[in-house]
Amino acid sequence: LAAGASAASAAGPPTAVFSGVAQEAARRDHGYEVTDPARYDPALQAEAAFDSLRSLKDCWCARSRHAAVFLSFYDGLYRGLATDPGFSGDWVHELCGVAYPVIFKVISVDPSDDSFSINADCHAGILAMVSVCAQSAALQRAGTVEGGPSDRGTAAAAAAEPASRQWR
């Protein structure tokens, strides 16, 4: 992260990497709108209290020590969604390729109980990266990328698939 952050920082302040789309999103309350979940369900009052205690830094990465990395990622995400709101183009895989090494640098998994910890100061940025890579994997699984399985959904493909899948 530090190498990517310093290289991007050399180009100017983190906001210099923003495109017009990302700048517009940043003007809209930093791309994050606080909503009161208790407005929809009174049972979510505890969530509302938790959210009110969180800082904007938790949800928007402009003050992160790795701001350039996260803001550059957000820029790619905003540009991609502006041109492909279906979230299914090749840009998803390219953006995941940028995010993948960052994710595995900051997330540690304990093999004894599969618990994990995030060693970053911008959890929303990591979650956005994980979401993009999950979408990339789903698109690959569906066979919508070049080189993906062309017989997905056919009887032969169904016969080759295990009857059930189990997540550990």
Side-chain angles (χ1 to χ4, degrees):
L1 277 176
S6 61
S9 297
T15 54
V17 297
F18 270 11
S19 70
V21 174
Q23 286 176 351
E24 178 59 30
R27 280 192 285 276
R28 288 190 315 264
D29 196 21
H30 302 293
Y32 178 77
E33 183 178 329
V34 178
T35 58
D36 180 2
R39 192 171 75 195
Y40 305 105
D41 183 352
L44 297 174
Q45 191 63 40
E47 291 294 324
F50 177 73
D51 283 348
S52 69
L53 297 175
R54 295 182 65 131
S55 73
L56 183 59
K57 181 181 171 185
D58 290 330
C59 299
W60 183 246
C61 303
R63 292 194 182 121
S64 165
R65 63 190 161 129
H66 304 294
V69 172
F70 291 118
L71 296 178
S72 179
F73 175 82
Y74 283 145
D75 182 52
L77 181 60
Y78 290 133
R79 280 186 287 113
L81 289 171
T83 59
D84 173 28
F87 199 25
S88 61
D90 288 338
W91 67 271
V92 175
H93 310 293
E94 293 167 11
L95 196 56
C96 176
V98 169
Y100 196 83
V102 175
I103 294 167
F104 286 95
K105 184 169 180 97
V106 300
I107 295 180
S108 303
V109 179
D110 183 343
S112 66
D113 63 1
D114 287 339
S115 64
F116 66 93
S117 60
I118 299 175
N119 304 308
D121 61 352
C122 183
H123 296 124
I126 298 300
L127 182 59
M129 290 177 171
V130 169
S131 298
V132 167
C133 287
Q135 177 68 1
S136 174
L139 291 171
Q140 290 176 33
R141 177 81 176 130
T144 60
V145 295
E146 186 177 318
S150 59
D151 63 346
R152 266 301 159 223
T154 65
E161 293 289 325
S164 68
R165 296 184 187 271
Q166 192 171 32
W167 185 262
R168 72 172 197 132

